[in-house]
Amino acid sequence: MKKELRRSTTDRVFAGVCGGLGEYFGIDSNIVRVLWVLFALGGGSGLLVYIICALLIPEESTW
């Protein structure tokens, strides 16, 4: 089965981006969330990148 990057419908806090990235890379989504917050606080562009990812990454199908 081909591995595709999709936003998670089950492991989500806001849009499911971090949950989808965690599933794609095979790591815990909480680690992705912590890294994303550090990226947002450190560089300041993390929120903008999150919004762009939420718009561009398709949501996983539920069926």
Side-chain angles (χ1 to χ4, degrees), residues 22-43:
E23 290 174 12
Y24 183 78
F25 290 114
I27 58 175
D28 186 24
S29 61
N30 290 321
I31 294 172
V32 177
R33 288 183 183 100
V34 168
L35 291 174
W36 205 287
V37 168
L38 291 175
F39 176 66
L41 295 176

Side-chain angles (χ1 to χ4, degrees), residues 1 6 12 14 19-20 26 31 34-35 38 43 47 52 56 59:
M1 186 168 145
R6 300 276 185 181
R12 65 187 321 163
F14 294 112
I31 294 172
V34 168
L35 291 174
L38 291 175
L47 181 61
I52 291 170
L56 294 179
E59 193 170 74

